[in-house]
Amino acid sequence: MTSDRQLLVLVGATRNEARNVPMVMADLACARDELRELETELELIVIDDASTDDTVKLLHAEAQLRGIQMQVFDGPGRGLSQAITSGLRLALQTPANLIGTIDFDGQHDPIELPALVAAFNTIQPKPDCVFGSRFLNRSTFIGVTAQRRILSHTARIALRAATRMRLPSDPTTSFRVSSPTMVRSFLDEVPIDDLGGYEFFFWFAVYVAATGSFADVPICFRPRLAGTSKMDLRKVGAAAATLREIGGRAREWRRQRLPDGGFPAYPTEFLDSLGELEGYNSFLVDSFAAFVRGDVLEVGAGTGTVTTRLASLPTVNSVTAIEPDSQRFEQLAAAVARSSAAGIVTPILGTIAATTATFDTVLYCNSAEHIRDLIPELRQAALRCAPDAHLVVFGPAHEALYSEIDRVSGHWRRFVTTRLGRDLRAAGFEIVHSQYVDPVGAIAYFVGGRLGGVSSLSPELLAIYERLVLPITRLATPVTRRFMGKNVLVVARLAR
Ligand SMILES: Nc1nc2c(ncn2[C@@H]2O[C@H](COP(=O)(O)OP(=O)(O)OP(=O)(O)O)[C@@H](O)[C@H]2O)c(=O)[nH]1
Ligand SMILES: [Mg+2]
């Protein structure tokens, strides 16, 4: 291959598609010839998950017959998303200029590949991904049951609502061509190891929309030639359950691409007043006190409001309180010196890198949302966990509550429990406990912060919160702990 030609590596996944393979391969051979007109060579990577029919045998026979460059690998046997991501990892090891995906059930017409590639080559600004869309004016979407059509449209609408972003017109299509750079950055940045079913496809679509540019090309979607669909209700339910999470991640990915996250440079005052709320702080510490014991590392201790309370818990031997901001650290050191906990607490100016010791509890209380790259941080935290240690993360919940207060505070994100769980697993933990805390606070925060445009918490507001909201929210938290609250609490330990 001369250097002015480009290489398209096309990744497909198969499970019992023997009756479709001959025709798909015949069409791929035509596509290969057409692509040569665009100075593009085609190579295939197929990930097969233990097909019990002749899929693999036929793939090899057809590739040889038609002179198609192809490699077939055994998949991890954990569903389509994992099969595709393992194929993409292999594609990244080739000199590919373009990486595509296609179904092997005949629903995508390989003859349309040149149109996808041409769009990729010619559209300006250059897209990071071209999506083969079933929903454009010139698309056709035939041989598909009404239920499947409705499902695809519903997914599209739900994703738009969850992300509040302009997305590709068909974010669940699996017929696409992407730049290797975009594929690599997705695989590096996003914790995908436990994405199930078809989730990879819309996660990647949302990632592209949040971090890069895309183009839509109409396709003629065909009926499945033969065999059976592997889509089922359970997979649809699992995908729907990730909607809130992907919505939050989408906006975080976008924030991470703004200079300084789009946060204002001026410091914030209201955090300090929260520290004066006796009742609020007791409530907060009460919510996770059962998981705190032994030698405690508190990362992002702020001005020490939680630190001194931790030190007074009967289960705690010592507290190492780390704070990276020098002004807050001074207040922290002063608060510790003033308190009866002085002998138990060691304040340190810095980040988690400031200690190499191991602890029985590592706590992030309202600090994980300030850390831009959370998974690398959690991996650092894992290194500081004794074998049976608890990692406790308490932080703001629900992207729908993200308001000006979060922005001026420099919050990269608000959490959902599923998202923290996925990040923690990616960092080597397993989840012990997961819940939402403070539902009434969530409503107050939504009304004040999102609707009312309140951008700082005045002492009067805080006093009202403490007197009226806290007593009710203490009672209501057990009822709403599974789905709603102003905060999340997730406790993990090192995976065994
Ligand atoms: N390796 C692997 N391939 C899979 C798995 N599930 C589905 N596939 C393949 O992925 C492609 C798409 O699967 P389909 O079941 O047709 O999914 P779909 O096209 O979204 O759904 P339908 O419209 O119902 O056909 C086909 O080539 C399947 O063989 C899996 O678990 N492992
Ligand atoms: Mg299909």
Side-chain angles (χ1 to χ4, degrees):
M1 195 178 66
T2 56
S3 59
D4 52 341
R5 297 182 73 80
Q6 54 180 5
L7 173 63
L8 164 63
V9 174
L10 193 61
V11 175
T14 53
R15 212 179 68 203
N16 294 338
E17 299 291 358
R19 289 172 64 199
N20 298 317
V21 162
M23 181 160 153
V24 173
M25 291 296 274
D27 288 344
L28 279 167
C30 293
R32 184 256 334 262
D33 298 341
E34 295 275 322
L35 282 166
R36 290 205 167 125
E37 304 284 310
L38 301 174
E39 308 282 312
T40 304
E41 291 297 322
L42 176 69
E43 284 182 22
L44 288 185
I45 290 179
V46 181
I47 307 295
D48 183 79
D49 269 324
S51 288
T52 48
D53 61 9
D54 281 340
T55 299
V56 174
K57 209 167 117 194
L58 283 165
L59 279 167
H60 286 297
E62 291 288 330
Q64 196 176 19
L65 179 69
R66 301 177 193 281
I68 296 175
Q69 289 289 327
M70 182 196 68
Q71 288 175 280
V72 182
F73 298 89
D74 287 335
R78 295 196 297 127
L80 179 56
S81 288
Q82 298 304 319
I84 291 290
T85 53
S86 66
L88 293 175
R89 287 207 172 91
L90 293 165
L92 285 173
Q93 291 168 20
T94 70
N97 312 87
L98 300 162
I99 297 179
T101 48
I102 193 167
D103 283 355
F104 262 78
D105 55 3
Q107 290 184 304
H108 299 144
D109 188 346
I111 298 297
E112 293 181 316
L113 270 175
L116 296 190
V117 171
F120 193 92
N121 288 341
T122 55
I123 290 177
Q124 293 296 335
K126 203 167 170 51
D128 298 295
C129 184
V130 174
F131 292 84
S133 170
R134 295 165 291 182
F135 303 128
L136 295 173
N137 275 341
R138 282 175 298 122
S139 312
T140 59
F141 194 173
I142 52 171
V144 178
T145 61
Q147 290 96 306
R148 285 303 314 274
R149 263 170 214 253
I150 292 169
L151 184 63
S152 297
H153 279 289
T154 310
R156 179 165 80 115
I157 293 163
L159 277 169
R160 269 225 63 156
T163 57
R164 292 186 264 153
M165 241 172 233
R166 194 178 83 84
L167 296 178
S169 66
D170 186 356
T172 54
T173 181
S174 42
F175 198 17
R176 311 165 165 184
V177 170
S178 312
S179 74
T181 315
M182 187 48 93
V183 173
R184 179 169 287 119
S185 116
F186 178 80
L187 295 182
D188 285 350
E189 186 179 357
V190 184
I192 47 170
D193 283 353
D194 48 10
L195 284 190
Y198 298 78
E199 285 151 35
F200 163 80
F201 291 105
F202 66 85
W203 277 57
F204 185 66
V206 170
Y207 183 81
V208 171
T211 67
S213 62
F214 61 85
D216 281 328
V217 167
I219 58 167
C220 298
F221 193 72
R222 307 186 296 191
R224 203 176 221 289
L225 286 173
T228 49
S229 165
K230 280 101 196 158
M231 170 85 86
D232 58 41
L233 263 183
R234 201 175 43 80
K235 287 178 190 150
V236 175
T242 71
L243 275 177
R244 276 208 300 198
E245 178 182 351
I246 188 79
R249 285 192 191 267
R251 279 147 19 98
E252 176 181 344
W253 290 328
R254 178 157 284 183
R255 244 166 244 141
Q256 289 183 336
R257 268 127 194 114
L258 296 172
D260 292 324
F263 305 141
Y266 54 86
T268 54
E269 297 300 327
F270 71 87
L271 284 173
D272 304 345
S273 44
L274 264 179
E276 289 151 23
L277 292 181
E278 279 297 319
Y280 176 74
N281 286 306
S282 309
F283 171 62
L284 200 149
V285 174
D286 284 353
S287 69
F288 53 73
F291 300 100
V292 176
R293 58 178 186 224
D295 296 323
V296 179
L297 173 64
E298 191 196 359
V299 186
T303 56
T305 53
V306 166
T307 317
T308 48
R309 281 181 172 76
L310 287 176
S312 65
L313 293 175
T315 48
V316 168
N317 298 336
S318 73
V319 181
T320 303
I322 301 188
E323 169 55 38
D325 180 271
S326 54
Q327 256 180 326
R328 294 226 168 89
F329 175 76
E330 268 172 41
Q331 286 174 270
L332 165 69
V336 170
R338 269 199 313 273
S339 78
S340 57
I344 299 178
V345 181
T346 313
I348 300 178
L349 175 65
T351 64
I352 190 160
T355 176
T356 52
T358 54
F359 298 85
D360 304 305
T361 308
V362 178
L363 170 70
Y364 287 81
C365 181
N366 288 327
S367 57
E369 65 277 15
H370 292 274
I371 295 168
R372 185 184 186 279
D373 299 311
L374 189 57
I375 296 172
E377 171 79 20
L378 294 174
R379 291 200 177 112
Q380 290 295 311
L383 296 175
R384 282 146 188 93
C385 283
D388 275 322
H390 279 151
L391 178 87
V392 180
V393 183
F394 182 96
H398 304 303
E399 191 63 30
L401 298 185
Y402 194 101
S403 73
E404 192 58 15
I405 302 176
D406 295 282
R407 206 177 68 84
V408 299
S409 314
H411 292 177
W412 291 103
R413 63 192 76 86
R414 296 182 69 94
F415 294 101
V416 283
T417 50
T418 48
R419 180 254 156 84
L420 253 179
R422 203 184 301 276
D423 283 4
L424 283 162
R425 284 192 295 275
F429 291 94
E430 62 189 27
I431 309 306
V432 173
H433 179 89
S434 176
Q435 73 165 104
Y436 293 100
V437 178
D438 190 2
V440 189
I443 296 167
Y445 202 87
F446 186 73
V447 172
R450 275 296 302 285
L451 304 182
V454 174
S455 64
S456 71
L457 302 175
S458 66
E460 294 77 29
L461 270 179
L462 290 168
I464 294 173
Y465 179 82
E466 180 144 84
R467 225 167 295 140
L468 297 180
V469 176
L470 261 186
I472 311 173
T473 219
R474 268 185 193 271
L475 293 174
T477 291
V479 183
T480 61
R481 52 189 284 160
R482 286 182 166 275
F483 56 93
M484 164 184 163
K486 183 167 66 54
N487 295 96
V488 285
L489 167 63
V490 177
V491 183
R493 64 165 174 242
L494 294 176
R496 284 149 211 241

